[in-house]
Amino acid sequence: MKFDKELLEHVAHLSKIKLTDKEIEEFTPQMQSILDSAGKIAQVDTSSVKMGYSQTIDFSELREDIVKPSLSNQEALANAPFTQAGYIQVWGATFGSEES
Amino acid sequence: MDTIIGLEIHLQLKTESKMFCSCSSQYFEKEPNTLTCPKCLGLPGALPVPNKHALELCILMGLATNCTIAKHIKFDRKHYFYPDLPKGYQISQYDEPLCNNGTVNIKLPDGSTSTVLIERIHQEEDVAKTFHLKDGTTGADYTLVDYNKSGVPLIEIVTKPCIKSAQEAKLYATKIRQIARYLGISDADMEKGQMRCEPNISIQETGKWQMVDNKIKPIGDYKLNPKTEVKNIGSISAVEKAIEYEVKRMTDDLQAGKKLTQQTRGWNAEKGITEFQRSKESAEDYRYFREPDIPIINVSDQDIANISTKLVELPDAKAERYKNDFGLQDYDIEVLTASRDIAEYFEKAFDLSGDAKSTANWITGIIFSHLNKNGIEINDVSIKPEDLAILTKSVNTKAITTNKAKEILLNCLSNDKSVDISSEIEKAQSSAVSDDGALLNMVKQALSENEKAVTDYKSGKTAVIGFLVGAVMKLSKGNADPNKVKDLLEKELGK
């Protein structure tokens, strides 16, 4: 797979990070070499290997719809660097709307 | 220009616990971040465990919309970066949705039926609630996140691009809400976010495109116009308005020579416009891959059979039965089948009275105008189906007149407390003028007070009898039986 500047910029956009021109110059060949390296796995001959799922479970084995106690607000926020009025606070502009 | 619409509808399922953990899914009006655990907070190492009941409800919706149900359930990870998604991905279903290829019939205003094709219904999880704010002193942007909603079971119902107008889209969304409420799988209240509609809209030149395998394909060298997806639609009526706005916007842009781009726009209900949000990401940007933490789930025929027992008679089937068995009119049928509560109220009252038409008339007439006037639901009224049945039977056995029944009904409805309809009827009967002697006196009085009417009647203008019946009814203060009054009048006039 060919990894060029445009693709790097697209991935940076999806990752919500800004890259300088210098970084783009530097990272593009690095990404190419990472992809080439990972791409070697595709060269393995798997024609004789049957596609299958490692593990299956039956519908009846699924979890019953029963509520168990949740964490307290204090516990839930214990590791958050920023909080406000019981909410977790995230700095910086986030764009777009909620996904679902 | 042709309008081509596909609709994505999200429904929050009515379960006790979340989709992949045992936290309560009843997050409405709860203190923020009080219904979370390591799983729905996306902490490292936490394993998702699917909720059986949620999947049952998804399958139920699939069965109700004539879908094929998959034999295996596979979950996938859908990746994107946003604070509403703590894991960095949403657990969803990509290439193997639980339900496939369904249909939903909608009735168009001209009386014809249109079939909306459902491509898929898949199971996923809801995201956290976010509030975007600005710091008062520094002006820095920040977001507050409440993870109570994160992980609540959600299903997504996706149609094929087969909807031709904003109105059809609205009717379809209404039908989905109706079916979901009949099944009891979701409260589907759009204002509370329990149901979300996201239309995908494009406009194409007539004759320059065709549908091939339910996909829009250009004819010849025509270049298809890109579609827009509209989000943040908060009501069923806004579905129609947002689509109408978007079709006009795209048409105007094209006419002005502007190039359309694929994008996601948000509906601004206050301004009645759609606003640009972002250029749409493509499926490969989400880097879907199989969720390795959840095994494949086998769904047997027996599992489907067990779930099928929870299917109820749906609005279309009910409507047909009401027409065939009871001979009710289309308007009455529409009102009576609008919700399961109304249909059940009607059926219970009918079972006890045996008179479908009168029961339907009482409900669609007096009771409904009372509901609309007071903004309440059928189960809130003081008159219970049992009461309505007693009232209907009393009229049919001529124990009381229709007018008297109407009066009792209005009286009881305006009384919030529970009512004793039998004693109301007894009271009415005791005050009713059924004593023939007293009634005859009133008839004679009316005739002597209306000499002109009597002369008219005798000269052949027999229609005047209605006026005389009215005069007697007035004298009886509405307590006489008008048929009996008419008989007596005719007898007297014939002398």
Side-chain angles (χ1 to χ4, degrees):
Chain A
M1 182 182 178
K2 179 94 181 79
F3 198 93
D4 56 16
K5 260 174 63 178
E6 283 67 41
L7 195 50
L8 183 69
E9 280 165 357
H10 182 60
V11 172
H13 167 74
L14 292 176
S15 313
K16 317 266 189 273
I17 54 172
K18 284 197 176 94
L19 296 179
T20 62
D21 289 347
K22 191 172 164 278
E23 282 167 330
I24 291 170
E25 284 301 323
E26 199 180 330
F27 294 164
T28 304
Q30 287 182 6
M31 287 297 285
Q32 182 70 61
S33 102
I34 291 167
L35 275 179
D36 288 346
S37 179
K40 281 187 186 144
I41 211 161
Q43 293 165 14
V44 179
D45 179 13
T46 56
S47 55
S48 61
V49 180
K50 258 216 283 195
M51 178 72 176
Y53 298 123
S54 50
Q55 195 199 348
T56 66
I57 57 166
D58 289 338
F59 196 84
S60 56
E61 297 176 76
L62 291 169
R63 175 174 61 85
E64 296 297 335
D65 184 25
I66 295 166
V67 174
K68 289 184 184 160
S70 296
L71 297 174
S72 68
N73 178 267
Q74 203 182 5
E75 286 169 317
L77 269 50
N79 290 324
F82 301 100
T83 62
Q84 191 187 100
Y87 292 90
I88 290 174
Q89 190 174 13
V90 184
W91 287 98
T94 45
F95 40 90
S97 68
E98 278 178 35
E99 286 284 336
S100 58
Chain B
M1 278 290 177
D2 296 326
T3 302
I4 307 166
I5 305 160
L7 209 60
E8 292 171 13
I9 296 182
H10 284 93
L11 287 175
Q12 262 179 6
L13 296 178
K14 232 171 147 175
T15 57
E16 296 295 326
S17 65
K18 291 187 181 179
M19 187 61 223
F20 298 110
C21 65
S22 300
C23 288
S24 168
S25 55
Q26 315 300 310
Y27 67 90
F28 192 67
E29 290 182 337
K30 293 280 171 11
E31 288 296 312
N33 297 306
T34 51
L35 300 175
T36 67
C37 72
K39 290 174 194 176
C40 54
L41 282 174
L43 301 189
L47 276 176
V49 185
N51 180 339
K52 180 160 76 178
H53 189 50
L55 289 163
E56 285 171 346
L57 298 182
C58 180
I59 291 173
L60 207 52
M61 190 67 190
L63 292 172
T65 52
N66 312 304
C67 287
T68 309
I69 312 300
K71 297 278 181 207
H72 305 281
I73 303 174
K74 186 193 84 162
F75 285 102
D76 298 285
R77 292 183 177 181
K78 177 184 181 181
H79 298 80
Y80 64 90
F81 291 108
Y82 204 68
D84 66 10
L85 198 64
K87 298 190 291 293
Y89 57 85
Q90 178 190 36
I91 304 177
S92 181
Q93 293 190 287
Y94 180 49
D95 53 349
E96 294 179 32
L98 182 44
C99 314
N100 292 280
N101 296 320
T103 54
V104 167
N105 287 334
I106 52 171
K107 206 164 183 190
L108 302 177
D110 67 3
S112 66
T113 301
S114 174
T115 301
V116 176
L117 305 174
I118 291 178
E119 184 170 292
R120 57 187 285 160
I121 305 176
H122 68 254
Q123 180 73 59
E124 56 185 30
E125 56 175 340
D126 210 343
V127 298
K129 183 132 195 60
T130 52
F131 301 92
H132 304 299
L133 303 157
K134 244 183 210 326
D135 188 273
T137 46
T138 63
D141 292 303
Y142 68 94
T143 300
L144 294 182
V145 195
D146 171 13
Y147 288 100
N148 286 348
K149 187 163 75 76
S150 168
V152 168
L154 205 62
I155 58 169
E156 181 172 344
I157 307 164
V158 184
T159 72
K160 291 180 172 160
C162 62
I163 300 169
K164 295 175 207 75
S165 70
Q167 189 187 42
E168 259 186 51
K170 183 185 79 173
L171 292 169
Y172 165 75
T174 309
K175 193 64 175 277
I176 288 292
R177 182 177 67 179
Q178 188 188 30
I179 293 172
R181 287 179 176 171
Y182 259 74
L183 294 172
I185 67 162
S186 172
D187 287 333
D189 186 337
M190 285 189 73
E191 279 176 32
K192 288 185 182 160
Q194 294 159 336
M195 172 169 164
R196 292 159 229 165
C197 295
E198 286 153 14
N200 280 284
I201 311 150
S202 80
I203 53 169
Q204 310 294 348
E205 263 179 63
T206 309
K208 298 274 179 77
W209 65 280
Q210 58 186 337
M211 206 65 98
V212 181
D213 292 336
N214 291 300
K215 287 195 167 57
I216 309 160
K217 300 278 181 199
I219 295 174
D221 56 1
Y222 176 69
K223 210 172 166 310
L224 290 175
N225 288 319
K227 62 179 182 180
T228 55
E229 179 172 343
V230 184
K231 288 179 175 269
N232 304 345
I233 295 177
S235 68
I236 294 259
S237 61
V239 172
E240 188 175 24
K241 282 183 208 150
I243 294 172
E244 278 169 356
Y245 177 87
E246 198 51 24
V247 169
K248 188 175 182 310
R249 182 191 69 81
M250 291 193 285
T251 310
D252 290 351
D253 275 6
L254 270 188
Q255 275 169 1
K258 287 187 207 159
K259 197 173 179 297
L260 300 179
T261 56
Q262 182 168 335
Q263 52 184 277
T264 300
R265 299 178 70 87
W267 173 247
N268 182 328
E270 235 165 76
K271 294 183 189 161
I273 59 167
T274 66
E275 294 164 325
F276 177 82
Q277 283 186 336
R278 58 191 151 90
S279 51
K280 176 84 180 153
E281 278 143 14
S282 65
E284 63 180 15
D285 290 339
Y286 288 122
R287 289 155 291 136
Y288 282 102
F289 66 78
R290 190 193 142 190
E291 167 57 85
D293 288 341
I294 302 174
I296 300 295
I297 303 154
N298 300 314
V299 185
S300 69
D301 291 344
Q302 187 56 48
D303 293 324
I304 309 265
N306 293 344
I307 296 166
S308 304
T309 61
K310 290 169 193 158
L311 272 175
V312 295
E313 187 181 36
L314 292 168
D316 284 356
K318 256 194 209 304
E320 202 164 319
R321 186 161 63 85
Y322 288 4
K323 197 179 184 101
N324 296 338
D325 293 5
F326 307 143
L328 296 181
Q329 298 297 311
D330 285 350
Y331 169 77
D332 287 344
I333 291 172
E334 204 180 309
V335 173
L336 294 173
T337 59
S339 83
R340 189 169 151 188
D341 284 346
I342 297 165
E344 280 174 357
Y345 185 102
F346 163 72
E347 285 175 24
K348 202 162 178 191
F350 159 72
D351 278 346
L352 297 168
S353 74
D355 183 345
K357 277 192 180 162
S358 301
T359 305
N361 286 341
W362 289 124
I363 297 173
T364 60
I366 293 177
I367 295 182
F368 246 74
S369 71
H370 177 76
L371 296 184
N372 292 339
K373 205 167 74 188
N374 296 285
I376 55 172
E377 302 293 332
I378 190 111
N379 290 340
D380 299 333
V381 299
S382 51
I383 290 268
K384 300 296 160 211
E386 294 82 358
D387 302 321
L388 188 63
I390 293 171
L391 198 71
T392 309
K393 278 200 285 192
S394 302
V395 174
N396 288 351
T397 57
K398 297 200 172 359
I400 51 169
T401 65
T402 307
N403 278 342
K404 198 70 210 175
K406 201 169 159 181
E407 198 181 298
I408 292 172
L409 190 56
L410 283 168
N411 227 336
C412 291
L413 283 171
S414 63
N415 191 342
D416 290 342
K417 283 175 272 171
S418 66
V419 290
D420 182 354
I421 200 96
S422 298
S423 83
E424 292 296 321
I425 290 168
E426 266 169 43
K427 257 192 269 171
Q429 275 178 299
S430 64
S431 68
V433 185
S434 54
D435 174 6
D436 286 358
L439 195 57
L440 191 59
N441 283 337
M442 289 181 195
V443 166
K444 284 180 173 162
Q445 188 186 340
L447 291 175
S448 68
E449 283 170 3
N450 296 285
E451 277 174 23
K452 188 176 179 302
V454 174
T455 322
D456 285 350
Y457 183 86
K458 289 192 169 160
S459 69
K461 291 181 190 159
T462 51
V464 80
I465 192 89
F467 169 76
L468 290 167
V469 171
V472 179
M473 289 306 289
K474 211 167 173 181
L475 288 171
S476 78
K477 298 192 172 68
N479 289 322
D481 176 353
N483 288 322
K484 205 165 182 179
V485 170
K486 188 165 174 260
D487 286 347
L488 280 173
L489 277 167
E490 279 168 349
K491 222 167 169 183
E492 282 301 301
L493 289 162
K495 274 180 187 169

